[in-house]
Amino acid sequence: MSQETLHNTHEHHQSLTIGLFGFGVVGEGLYKVLHQTPSLKATIKKVCIKNPGKARHAPPDLFTTDRDLLLNDPEINVIVEVIDDSVAAFQIVKTALLNGKHVVSASKKMIAENLPEILQLQQQTGRSFLCEAAACASIPVIRNLEEYYDNDLLHGIQAIVNGSTNYILTKMFEDKLDYREALLQAQQLGFAESNPKLDVEGYDAVNKWTFLLTHAYGIVTTPEQILFNGIQNVNGFDAQVGNEKGWAIRLVAQARKLDSGKVAAFVLPQFVKPDNHLAFVRHEYNGVVIESGFADKQFFYGKGAGSFPTASAVLSDISALRYDYKYEYKKLYHHKPGELSEDFYLRVYLSFEDVSVVPKEKFETIEEWHAREDRKYLAGLIHVYHLRESTWWKENGLSLVLLPDAIVESVELSKVKRKSLELAGLQLHHGFNGDR
Ligand code: HSE
């Protein structure tokens, strides 16, 4: 590139004047991070906040409670929205895009709840809506899924997308902290949602998974369509059983292309073997394992929650706006969009105190029963339909944890496979110890 072209390219970069909504963990983090990156030439002109009474480490005249002051300011060309309230957040995003401004957002709940309309608004206005910070915070997972992985070659993704639950699992089962103390720490460190039920019961993870599926497979869906749970039922007994096998427990979001061409997707606690990269992910870190044709497995790892890690992703989106970066949603608009499958089986572990609450008839096969003094468990194969039809498996003191390699596409196939392996003289171990 010649000197002159280089010069022109620099000239072309937009200067960015930001209107920021929210000055909590992420908003304040961004404010500080922007001050440390003057080369970006992006300035925050105004910050809209809800509660003017709070003490804040920034000049008072930066703040307002009047959202229109930001949304109607012609000088502001970027709205950064990092607030908690998903209804207010969507109103802000919508108005900002319609007013011709680019938007950077970290509101996963808002995005999951309004995905079709957000897609439509981007098409209608031609403005950018970027949200790298909304999933896996510091890991650039959206841009990678969007730009790098061809539709046909993306065989599967396994990911830890919620930092708080991963932090709690690590603290409880490795450092032997009790649940309340672990959650309190996650809150104090700024990882947890203001309503931590969203983290613990899996809502935050499934919200993130909803739009990651759009970038990965072109699937436009809602959290209600995805099978999910959090870690609220996982207990010391489950951890102990896993421990005996050398397995850890993680809250894993996954998607896999089935032979039918459809995609199995869900978010559930799972036992992970030590050779699974996700076993390496501890505390508030997130991790994403991508399986793609020819490349085999790739592992992305980084902080998934917290002020600066999240602000770093917002910063990267702001920086990308200087060269007009937009998500193209290639898998949605340029390929045949993916479809969620409702037809596959899962290999599960289920622990309980009272066997009478276990609906045995829902299981295709039950391969193991174990009774110990304090609790009992089984390992079996169940059609996903029986987990989608109602929430029996989240209630009555039941705790369901996926076994490693949980997805079974068709039972006939695995029986045939089993038979042929047996005929080949292999000694098959039933259940629990891994591959079939
Ligand atoms: N509460 C979220 C988490 C924050 O723990 O992952 C980051 O999205």
Side-chain angles (χ1 to χ4, degrees):
M1 209 184 256
S2 72
Q3 278 299 327
E4 196 173 346
T5 334
L6 262 177
H7 180 72
N8 286 342
T9 315
H10 284 301
E11 293 277 286
H12 175 69
H13 282 171
Q14 298 194 33
S15 82
L16 302 172
T17 308
I18 298 170
L20 172 63
F21 282 84
F23 207 73
V25 172
V26 184
E28 186 171 358
L30 176 69
Y31 177 78
K32 289 183 185 157
V33 161
L34 266 176
H35 271 95
Q36 289 172 37
T37 40
S39 59
L40 199 59
K41 296 205 170 53
T43 44
I44 298 178
K45 185 172 177 189
K46 268 280 175 248
V47 182
C48 183
I49 38 115
K50 201 165 66 179
N51 178 359
K54 253 191 215 168
R56 294 182 170 89
H57 304 289
D61 62 355
L62 194 62
F63 296 97
T64 175
T65 53
D66 180 1
R67 63 169 76 171
D68 291 336
L69 218 54
L70 283 65
L71 292 169
N72 295 335
D73 183 337
E75 227 178 72
I76 290 178
N77 50 8
V78 181
I79 291 293
V80 175
E81 173 282 303
V82 289
I83 67 172
D84 221 27
D85 174 344
S86 63
V87 176
F90 181 61
Q91 283 313 316
I92 290 161
V93 167
K94 184 174 176 172
T95 312
L97 289 170
L98 289 173
N99 287 1
K101 302 180 192 311
H102 300 298
V103 175
V104 176
S105 168
S107 299
K108 34 297 152 93
K109 187 164 182 286
M110 180 278 291
I111 302 168
E113 284 168 355
N114 299 283
L115 197 54
E117 203 169 345
I118 294 174
L119 290 168
Q120 196 266 326
L121 281 163
Q122 286 171 86
Q123 292 223 301
Q124 179 188 340
T125 62
R127 297 292 115 170
S128 301
F129 172 85
L130 303 180
C131 57
E132 191 63 71
C136 298
S138 71
I139 310 176
V141 61
I142 295 183
R143 259 192 262 175
N144 272 294
L145 289 172
E146 189 59 39
E147 305 298 335
Y148 188 81
Y149 293 98
D150 178 83
N151 201 27
D152 293 332
L153 296 178
L154 190 59
H155 297 329
I157 317 172
Q158 279 202 320
I160 292 170
V161 298
N162 181 272
S164 300
T165 44
N166 206 58
Y167 185 86
I168 293 170
L169 288 173
T170 315
K171 285 284 166 189
M172 276 173 70
F173 300 137
E174 289 183 28
D175 303 346
K176 309 295 173 210
L177 228 61
D178 80 44
Y179 168 75
R180 268 172 217 290
E181 181 58 27
L183 171 61
L184 190 68
Q185 286 190 7
Q187 288 177 301
Q188 283 167 344
L189 291 164
F191 307 150
E193 298 301 299
S194 6
N195 174 3
K197 183 181 146 142
L198 293 176
D199 296 300
V200 175
E201 298 187 11
Y203 295 98
D204 182 73
V206 77
N207 284 338
K208 291 164 174 166
W209 209 230
T210 305
F211 54 88
L212 285 178
L213 287 171
T214 316
H215 292 286
Y217 290 110
I219 292 171
V220 181
T221 184
T222 60
E224 294 74 35
Q225 299 306 311
I226 301 172
L227 174 69
F228 79 97
N229 200 10
I231 59 163
Q232 71 274 26
N233 302 333
V234 176
N235 53 60
F237 177 88
D238 305 334
Q240 178 58 32
V241 173
N243 228 350
E244 289 162 14
K245 315 271 175 195
W247 303 342
I249 299 176
R250 298 285 182 268
L251 182 60
V252 185
Q254 37 196 314
R256 170 160 296 281
K257 261 237 177 100
L258 303 179
D259 291 340
S260 64
K262 292 190 177 180
V263 176
F266 46 87
V267 179
L268 291 170
Q270 182 166 28
F271 288 114
V272 295
K273 294 180 179 176
D275 64 355
N276 184 331
H277 292 87
L278 298 184
F280 173 80
V281 180
R282 299 166 67 247
H283 297 116
E284 79 275 25
Y285 281 83
N286 284 184
V288 185
V289 178
I290 293 186
E291 276 179 63
S292 74
F294 312 117
D296 199 0
K297 283 186 186 162
Q298 289 154 313
F299 178 45
F300 297 80
Y301 171 77
K303 288 198 169 164
S307 181
F308 283 177
T310 312
S312 87
V314 175
L315 189 76
S316 176
D317 280 351
I318 293 172
S319 164
L321 286 176
R322 290 184 309 170
Y323 43 90
D324 293 324
Y325 179 71
K326 286 187 182 67
Y327 300 144
E328 288 177 58
Y329 298 94
K330 295 185 188 73
K331 322 285 171 66
L332 176 61
Y333 298 130
H334 303 317
H335 290 253
K336 186 169 173 280
E339 240 181 281
L340 285 180
S341 168
E342 292 285 347
D343 188 18
F344 57 94
Y345 298 84
L346 289 171
R347 298 177 62 227
V348 304
Y349 151 105
L350 187 72
S351 77
F352 46 90
E353 272 178 24
D354 175 6
V355 69
S356 70
V357 300
V358 177
K360 298 177 261 319
E361 70 287 355
K362 292 187 194 293
F363 285 82
E364 204 62 38
T365 55
I366 295 183
E367 289 150 14
E368 292 194 24
W369 286 97
H370 293 267
R372 295 185 183 176
E373 242 169 61
D374 43 346
R375 224 171 142 79
K376 308 164 185 63
Y377 71 88
L378 64 80
L381 187 68
I382 192 163
H383 195 279
V384 70
Y385 167 80
H386 292 300
L387 302 177
R388 290 273 292 137
E389 66 179 344
S390 82
T391 52
W392 62 268
W393 51 280
K394 295 187 184 185
E395 294 151 12
N396 298 316
L398 295 171
S399 168
L400 182 139
V401 182
L402 292 179
L403 292 168
D405 307 314
I407 301 175
V408 174
E409 293 203 31
S410 102
V411 170
E412 284 74 28
L413 199 71
S414 52
K415 275 187 184 155
V416 169
K417 194 173 161 201
R418 175 177 289 265
K419 194 79 207 157
S420 70
L421 290 172
E422 277 169 356
L423 285 175
L426 277 179
Q427 197 70 42
L428 291 177
H429 301 283
H430 287 268
F432 252 130
N433 62 343
D435 301 327
R436 303 144 62 84

